[in-house]
Amino acid sequence: MAFPCLDKLEKKTQDLSNSCNIEDDNISSLDAGPEPSYSYVQTGFKLYKSDKPIFLDNGGYLPEYEVAYETWGQLNAAKDNLVLIHTGLSASSHAKSQPDNTKPGWWEDFIGSGKYIDTDKYFVVCTNVLGGCYGSTGPSSRDPANGEIYATRFPIITVNDMVRAQRELIRNVFEVSKIHASVGASMGGMQSLAYAWEFPDEVNKIVSISGCARSHPYSIALRHTQRQVLMSDPNWKRGFYYGGVPPHVGMKLAREIATVTYRSGPEWEYRFGRNRADDSRPPALCPDFLVETYLDHAGEKFCLEYDANSLLYVSKAMDLFDLSSSNRSKALQKRTATEQSWNSQNNISESHSVPPEPYKEKVGSATVTPEESLEDLRNGISKISHKDVLVIGVESDILFPVWQQREIADVLMQNNTTGDIRYFELGTNISNYGHDTFLLSLDHIGPPVRDFLG
Amino acid sequence: MAFPCLDKLEKKTQDLSNSCNIEDDNISSLDAGPEPSYSYVQTGFKLYKSDKPIFLDNGGYLPEYEVAYETWGQLNAAKDNLVLIHTGLSASSHAKSQPDNTKPGWWEDFIGSGKYIDTDKYFVVCTNVLGGCYGSTGPSSRDPANGEIYATRFPIITVNDMVRAQRELIRNVFEVSKIHASVGASMGGMQSLAYAWEFPDEVNKIVSISGCARSHPYSIALRHTQRQVLMSDPNWKRGFYYGGVPPHVGMKLAREIATVTYRSGPEWEYRFGRNRADDSRPPALCPDFLVETYLDHAGEKFCLEYDANSLLYVSKAMDLFDLSSSNRSKALQKRTATEQSWNSQNNISESHSVPPEPYKEKVGSATVTPEESLEDLRNGISKISHKDVLVIGVESDILFPVWQQREIADVLMQNNTTGDIRYFELGTNISNYGHDTFLLSLDHIGPPVRDFLG
């Protein structure tokens, strides 16, 4: 039996191996092919550099860090029209084209003059997240302590860590004390809530699209399989693949799994049905049905577009996201302890960027009932229940199921909110695009966002 | 950062490599650990051997083959009480303990004296599917033409091929001309319908639990990722790993992905919640949340329990399952052509067990509308719409969604059926076990089955 899909992977490994001999630490970027959704942006963004450390929710810290960002529109004199856009897992700050990078951005038609997020009214800012690979400090950055690439010496980060880095940009570069809105979808929806949670007095309005207030074990499971597949690629080398062949096979497979979670069955029923790629040929174990060639293509397109370690760290940050009271309290304790230690010594002797103790596996059962857990979340979210919040959910989304969207609205409302809480749900009659609806059904997502921003 | 999950995999590879030096073609079976659902059965089954060839839906054939089977209860004098149980993807013929193998079977408490499938009334037979690795001829069997293990020279098989092999057993060993019932869940549900479709006059009653009348592109996508992950394991060696280290890492990862599709979010919410395995330790990229350690364990348990090539072939057979008229017509044409060629020459010169032409990948769109496709299915299924059929669906199932269950019942009923079509749906208030409900909620699945069997 012929295995063209494996031939292709082996050829790519060989090509990458050849190119590694002439390049150094750079990640090779091959041609992305058609259907680009997230573009690999090496230029066109600005950099905010903090020389002060950032202390992290899990006890580590970064002695210094950079945040890549792009802007659209103008900051007004009152400095009260800033809209901060948060990205999903693998997106860059390039939400929209701009003079320094004219390629279409990932929300090109959502943001702009007269568009749903109107740059005639708002000063729009989008950053690359901490831990990412599109300009902000992440695992592929160099540790200033020794000049070496962090790789998996990079500390575990959280979504709340990401937004605390963003806030430094907002305060120090734009000198804005209160942003008009924090807007995001998917992991961007997490950030959107997290920003308000960390700085409730510095945000007017919050928009969370296809996000959540805490990650669900099923979503964790879906991301777990992607991470495990990636880490099992021999070329991952426990994160120290820079300068060598990157784990493109693991990245491709992880993206294929991810793509299954980003879309929906009904969409594929219409788009691919049970059609095979070539019905005149015998069935094969390599991609055969149209839907398989689609997944193969999606994986192929992504496998060198994003840094593998960034995928692991940012995916893990999503798992750890939880605005429950107990979780945030623990994070604050750990962070404060590291900060105090740092302040008293004006540094910390051992590097806390490496979790000091290895992890030991253990199988067990939940120690908290769903009801207790929900109460914990309600307590945590009460910190922002006086804010104006727009929650948008999509019924066909399996990664951030619609009941997680309702959960956000419910816990906000049950906290005797004084804010304007709005909840919109797009049924399967409106969108079968699943989790990716926020990228594809702009005309359905847009109007409630525009109205809410006011 | 420590990676105990990778340490473990590397140690297993080393251990297997050491043991390969003393063993030959056998697959090493390590201790399965707790929570066994499918047991690795090397003994206790009987073998039916056909010296006549089986011609396959995709044009290949097997010159001879064996079917492993086990039985419970007694065949009555009228020979009209045989109930044929069909297995899911990875199960053996060992549905229940019996004198030659006293280990509990995968439907231990469903079958037996006074149980839902009552062995006081029925003569119950269960086989290992063609393509499997628990005794029936599959990719790990030897090709009689040259004595070598088939590996990926094994022909692509379909669910309909499987049931045609089973029918030879029923006719030639038990001399039963009409079975009382064809019963199965998951891929067993496919077989259950397929058996009746192939031999409508030889089946009284059909039970399909969490099955379907045709595979959906979303289910194909979910299985695709598992196959790709497995085939990307360097130890898979395009199927020729026998005698060496088996692709245990790919198998483990494939099983982890599969496990996500077998259960449901709400179950895991209750079972694991957001609990971490050890909250006193820092977060890690290796399994960390309880749900991750569960998946890790499920994959670990399975990785040497099933033959990797069998997984690929049987998984592919599920993708190809489609009782639509056009699909079955094509299969019949191909099969007949091979058979005629074989008859005229009393053999075929070139081996048709290898698909002759390599597959070429192509991206495209569906050429058939969902409506046309449904009409095609309705025409195909009309062949069994005069039969008595019980369809059971589970609302929390994401792999065989409940609307696929309704589809079976709908197309049967829309064919002016004269049969007794019954449809049962287990809501989320009854079972949150998802696709695995048929293994776990016997007291909810059982009563309608018992009543229907009469």
Side-chain angles (χ1 to χ4, degrees), chain A residues 3 9 99-100 106 137 148 153 226 245 260 276 291 304 307 372 379 405 443:
Chain A
F3 294 100
L9 291 179
D100 293 339
W106 55 267
T137 299
E148 289 175 18
R153 287 173 300 219
Q226 297 164 43
V245 175
V260 176
R276 292 180 55 227
V291 67
L304 295 172
D307 176 51
E372 290 165 341
N379 290 335
Q405 316 303 319
D443 289 344

Side-chain angles (χ1 to χ4, degrees), chain A residues 218 224 256 260 279 330 359, chain B residues 218 224 256 260 279 287 330:
Chain A
Y218 205 75
H224 161 88
E256 292 194 48
V260 176
D279 210 30
K330 265 182 258 170
Y359 171 81
Chain B
Y218 205 75
H224 162 87
E256 292 194 47
V260 176
D279 210 29
K330 264 183 260 172

Side-chain angles (χ1 to χ4, degrees), chain B residues 53 55 61 335-350 352:
Chain B
F55 298 98
Y61 77 104
R335 227 164 65 216
T336 312
T338 316
E339 186 166 3
Q340 283 171 347
S341 165
W342 191 86
N343 283 337
S344 63
Q345 305 165 30
N346 199 20
N347 214 320
I348 301 176
S349 53
E350 57 170 325
H352 272 252

Side-chain angles (χ1 to χ4, degrees), chain A residues 91-131:
Chain A
S92 72
S93 58
H94 195 56
K96 187 180 173 61
S97 55
Q98 40 97 348
D100 293 339
N101 181 355
T102 54
K103 280 178 72 175
W106 55 267
W107 242 1
E108 184 69 22
D109 294 326
F110 202 71
I111 302 162
S113 172
K115 297 196 186 289
Y116 297 117
I117 296 180
D118 192 343
T119 49
D120 295 339
K121 294 170 74 176
Y122 303 117
F123 176 56
V124 179
V125 178
C126 184
T127 77
N128 178 228
V129 296
L130 202 68

Side-chain angles (χ1 to χ4, degrees), chain A residues 268-287:
Chain A
W268 290 350
E269 175 81 42
Y270 275 83
R271 188 161 168 195
F272 307 117
R274 285 189 43 82
N275 269 71
R276 292 180 55 227
D278 186 347
D279 210 30
S280 69
R281 293 183 180 270
L285 295 177
C286 274

Side-chain angles (χ1 to χ4, degrees), chain B residues 378-399:
Chain B
R378 207 174 283 133
N379 290 335
I381 213 102
S382 66
K383 206 175 156 189
I384 57 169
S385 60
H386 61 293
K387 311 298 297 182
D388 295 349
V389 186
L390 168 65
V391 178
I392 301 182
V394 177
E395 191 184 353
S396 57
D397 189 341
I398 62 160
L399 186 57

